[in-house]
């Protein structure tokens, strides 16, 4: 199950587009975890090991930047807008932030068991079942969460956040990735843009 890292995505001139691109990567790496989860109670093949290592790295290193983009850069800007359409979307933000908190221990469990699988080559039946359960819960949450952000929150932000606020949002996203906050710049897929760490 090859995982694609390093493809170019939308530029900083469209910060909510970049946030949606992050969702496609979250979905892709969750797919990798779900596929690997079915194989963990037997010795892992090299391809599955690579897919697992890539997915664990994404959720360990890049996904927290996406959460910070939303909680520290996007949501506070939306909360300052009094437009009725934004106010309606704001009702969802508390629930979205709760989802972020709720996911943390599950990601910790997936990381712990995933690293165990990488070092031992497989997991016990009990550990494999715990991994499958944690990944299943995360996948179900992210399906609902991402749909809400992509269909409600981001379109409202794209239409109603003033240009200066969009630029500030993009700049903060770029700095979080040590990227040049230029609107011509492109951000790389795994969230750690140039220089790559
Ligand atoms: Fe989110
Ligand atoms: Fe998101």
């Amino acid at each position: 199950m090859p995982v694609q890292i390093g493809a170019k995505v939308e530029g900083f001139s469209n910060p909510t587009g970049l946030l949606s691109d992050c969702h496609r990567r979250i979905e892709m790496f969750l797919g990798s975890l779900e596929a690997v989860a079915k194989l963990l109670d037997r010795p892992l093949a090299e391809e599955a090991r690579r897919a697992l290592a890539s997915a664990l790295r994404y959720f360990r290193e890049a996904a927290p930047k996406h959460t910070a983009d939303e909680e520290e850069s996007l949501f506070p800007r939306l909360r300052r807008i009094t437009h009725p359409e934004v106010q309606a979307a704001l009702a969802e933000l508390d629930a979205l932030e709760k989802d972020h908190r709720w996911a943390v221990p599950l990601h910790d469990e997936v990381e712990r068991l995933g690293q165990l699988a990488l070092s031992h080559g497989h997991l016990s039946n009990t550990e494999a079942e715990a991994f499958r359960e944690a990944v299943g819960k995360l996948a179900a949450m992210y399906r609902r969460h991402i749909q809400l952000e992509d269909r409600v929150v981001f379109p409202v932000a794209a239409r109603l956040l003033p240009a200066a606020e969009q630029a500030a949002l993009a700049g903060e996203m770029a700095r979080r990735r040590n990227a040049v906050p230029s609107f011509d710049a492109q951000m790389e897929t795994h969230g750690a843009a140039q220089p790559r760490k």
Side-chain angles (χ1 to χ4, degrees), residues 3 53-54 63 74 88 96 114 116 125 164 175:
V3 285
S54 295
L74 175 62
L96 290 170
L116 203 60
N125 288 340
R175 280 191 288 280

Side-chain angles (χ1 to χ4, degrees), residues 5-6 8 12-13 28 32 34 58 71 76 116 120 131 139 157 193:
I5 290 178
K8 300 287 190 182
F12 286 109
S13 57
M28 180 182 75
S32 293
E34 288 180 301
Y58 177 80
E71 293 197 356
L116 203 60
H120 292 189
F131 185 93

Side-chain angles (χ1 to χ4, degrees), residues 23 66 70 149 154:
H23 288 168
H66 176 77
E70 292 175 348
E149 290 181 342
F154 296 172

Side-chain angles (χ1 to χ4, degrees), residues 2-18:
V3 285
Q4 194 178 1
I5 290 178
K8 300 287 190 182
V9 293
E10 291 191 63
F12 286 109
S13 57
N14 179 11
T16 51
L18 284 176

